[in-house]
């Protein structure tokens, strides 16, 4: 299959696994090709390696689940930054208990779905 024309677009997506809550982002180079028979096809690359389309059936690198929400780029990193700069507040204690502070987000924190979506809920 000879390549007559190729253009490359750059796209990035944010993903959240609905099974385990893991969140991540990935940038892609999307190569649009037309073969010798004038038939269009697309090649996706991530970090320089050919990968399947992230829109067809993404899978979670954490649990392998295939129920993955795809969002615009920046959603996960924005929430991670918000959580890093504003750790979860101390929740009120029950009578006789001490107040319990949620652990601040740090390096290696496993992002749960509730962490990712909480800042976007309407009040």
């Amino acid at each position: 299959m000879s390549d007559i024309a190729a253009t490359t677009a750059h796209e990035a997506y944010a993903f959240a696994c609905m099974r385990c809550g893991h969140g991540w982002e990935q940038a892609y180079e999307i190569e649009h090709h037309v073969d010798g028979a004038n038939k269009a096809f697309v090649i996706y690359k991530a970090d320089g390696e050919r990968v399947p389309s992230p829109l067809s059936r993404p899978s979670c690198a954490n649990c392998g689940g295939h129920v993955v929400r795809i969002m615009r780029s920046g959603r996960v990193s924005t929430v991670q930054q918000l959580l890093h700069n504003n750790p979860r507040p101390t929740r009120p204690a029950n009578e006789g208990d001490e107040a319990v502070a949620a652990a601040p987000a740090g390096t290696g924190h496993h992002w749960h779905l509730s962490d990712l979506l909480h800042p976007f809920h309407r009040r």
Side-chain angles (χ1 to χ4, degrees):
M1 203 181 273
S2 67
D3 190 24
I4 293 176
T7 59
T8 302
H10 299 274
E11 293 285 338
Y13 301 98
F15 303 89
C17 179
M18 304 305 278
R19 181 177 174 198
C20 74
H22 180 66
W24 71 99
E25 294 192 13
Q26 181 66 57
Y28 296 90
E29 293 176 0
I30 306 168
E31 298 176 359
H32 295 268
H33 298 269
V34 178
D35 66 15
N38 205 28
K39 190 173 184 179
F41 66 98
V42 179
I43 296 174
Y44 287 84
K45 290 186 177 178
D47 301 321
E49 294 194 26
R50 190 173 180 167
V51 296
S53 167
L55 306 176
S56 60
R57 189 166 183 205
S59 60
C60 177
N62 186 58
C63 73
H66 293 291
V67 181
V68 176
R69 178 166 182 181
I70 303 170
M71 302 170 281
R72 74 176 189 271
S73 174
R75 296 290 283 236
V76 172
S77 60
T78 299
V79 172
Q80 289 173 342
Q81 188 64 34
L82 286 170
L83 291 172
H84 178 72
N85 291 336
N86 301 306
R88 292 182 187 174
T90 302
R91 67 176 169 86
N94 292 328
E95 190 172 314
D97 291 341
E98 294 181 26
V100 178
T107 305
H109 176 74
H110 177 82
W111 301 103
H112 294 278
L113 184 59
S114 61
D115 294 336
L116 295 171
L117 300 178
H118 178 72
F120 302 105
H121 286 211
R122 295 178 187 223
R123 295 175 191 229

